Amino acid sequence: MRVVRIFNKTEELIRNVAESIKTQINHCDDTLHIALSGGSTPKRLFCLLGDEYSKSIEWNRVHLWWGDERIVPPTDEDSNFKQVNDLLISKIKIPTQNIHRIKGELSANEACADLESNLQSDMPEKEGIPHFDIVLLGMGDDGHTASIFPDRLDLLSCDELCTVVHHPISAQERVTMTGKIINHAKNIWFLVTGNDKRERVDDIFTENECAENLPAAHILPTNGELVWFLDKEASLKNS
Ligand code: 6PG
């Protein structure tokens, strides 16, 4: 089942996601594993978490992972890790062993193998598959999510946990988690804002014929909860 939360202002959406993360952490007995996303909407979330939640969240109980990463050094402006590092990690007290970044400074194949081995050694499993408490996702205006682009719909049902992909236009190399791991999560939260996403949101929510080719439409948890956090601009009038 898909839960849709619509907010009049993006700021309210971001604050609601931050509060939802805090609630999840407060309600979990042990550690919480969260897979983060790149993109402009999560950027605002990391900023808020770093500025206003550095003390109110027990960050030492949180493990940070990334759903996808570009094959660039961790100091590169394009690095998803760098975004989180600058805005959040540098402002909170979190043990370094809780930060499981994808090593973009390696070759794509090495970074992918390293991620796979870290997932197998450091992630709690359920039914033999790494089990995230929260996977945060964005959606591109082409319907991609994480780095699963429309030309790689096979990644939504493949056996691998993560893989190397190329951006369909720029050919930039990336490593992404696949549908196998994302759809297995306890909570999958899409953060989608802005007019340019509205048509794709419409395709997905009305399940029209275009939806089949949109990776984000295939993110449906096998046993978890799916929430779409939308601002007014990205949402349908009557959803
Ligand atoms: C990335 C992402 C990607 C992103 C979407 C939406 O690394 O770029 O993980 O899937 O979430 O492109 O990005 P915006 O929030 O900027 O629209």
Side-chain angles (χ1 to χ4, degrees):
M1 198 186 77
R2 179 200 300 127
V3 174
V4 182
R5 295 193 194 165
I6 300 172
F7 299 86
N8 280 328
K9 294 194 174 139
T10 313
E11 175 56 34
E12 289 167 24
L13 179 156
I14 299 297
R15 202 164 279 281
N16 193 279
V17 177
E19 282 296 320
S20 303
I21 291 175
K22 187 175 152 186
T23 304
Q24 290 286 328
I25 295 167
N26 289 346
H27 287 168
C28 88
D29 301 329
D30 191 15
T31 49
L32 182 127
H33 290 258
I34 178 166
L36 304 174
S37 156
S40 54
T41 316
K43 186 174 180 178
R44 294 181 63 171
L45 172 69
F46 305 141
C47 207
L48 179 68
L49 288 170
D51 288 347
E52 295 187 29
Y53 290 78
S54 59
K55 299 267 177 341
S56 59
I57 287 179
E58 287 179 73
W59 290 104
N60 59 331
R61 295 203 292 121
V62 180
H63 284 252
L64 301 178
W65 298 77
W66 280 260
D68 68 327
E69 183 59 280
R70 296 104 197 265
I71 297 303
V72 294
T75 48
D76 192 290
E77 287 304 325
D78 246 7
S79 161
N80 284 344
F81 165 77
K82 181 180 182 341
Q83 176 165 280
V84 183
N85 194 39
D86 290 353
L87 299 173
L88 177 62
I89 297 171
S90 59
K91 299 184 181 167
I92 57 178
K93 284 203 171 118
I94 183 165
T96 45
Q97 65 268 25
N98 292 17
I99 298 166
H100 308 269
R101 70 180 178 87
I102 299 174
K103 300 195 181 69
E105 67 275 30
L106 302 176
S107 75
N109 285 334
E110 286 167 344
C112 185
D114 181 70
L115 172 61
E116 189 179 359
S117 119
N118 292 342
L119 284 166
Q120 277 156 356
S121 58
D122 298 343
M123 267 296 297
E125 291 188 344
K126 191 175 167 192
E127 291 148 11
I129 302 170
H131 187 230
F132 276 95
D133 296 287
I134 305 172
V135 173
L136 285 185
L137 294 172
M139 178 181 71
D141 54 12
D142 60 354
H144 83 263
T145 191
S147 283
I148 306 176
F149 291 92
D151 63 339
R152 293 301 311 272
L153 291 175
D154 59 300
L155 299 182
L156 293 153
S157 54
C158 67
D159 266 343
E160 289 81 28
L161 298 174
C162 52
T163 190
V164 174
V165 290
H166 293 89
H167 187 284
I169 297 167
S170 68
Q172 181 190 50
E173 279 187 309
R174 298 181 177 199
V175 168
T176 189
M177 290 187 192
T178 62
K180 179 170 183 166
I181 193 159
I182 297 172
N183 281 329
H184 194 63
K186 188 172 163 197
N187 293 285
I188 304 175
W189 295 348
F190 271 99
L191 276 53
V192 180
T193 59
N195 274 328
D196 52 336
K197 309 291 170 69
R198 191 175 189 146
E199 210 176 315
R200 295 291 83 81
V201 171
D202 189 10
D203 292 336
I204 294 169
F205 288 11
T206 59
E207 294 176 20
N208 68 23
E209 69 279 5
C210 300
E212 210 175 304
N213 297 317
L214 305 176
H218 299 273
I219 300 301
L220 300 165
T222 42
N223 226 331
E225 190 180 339
L226 173 65
V227 185
W228 282 70
F229 293 82
L230 302 175
D231 68 358
K232 215 170 48 187
E233 282 69 35
S235 72
L236 285 171
K237 277 198 190 92
N238 301 311
S239 56

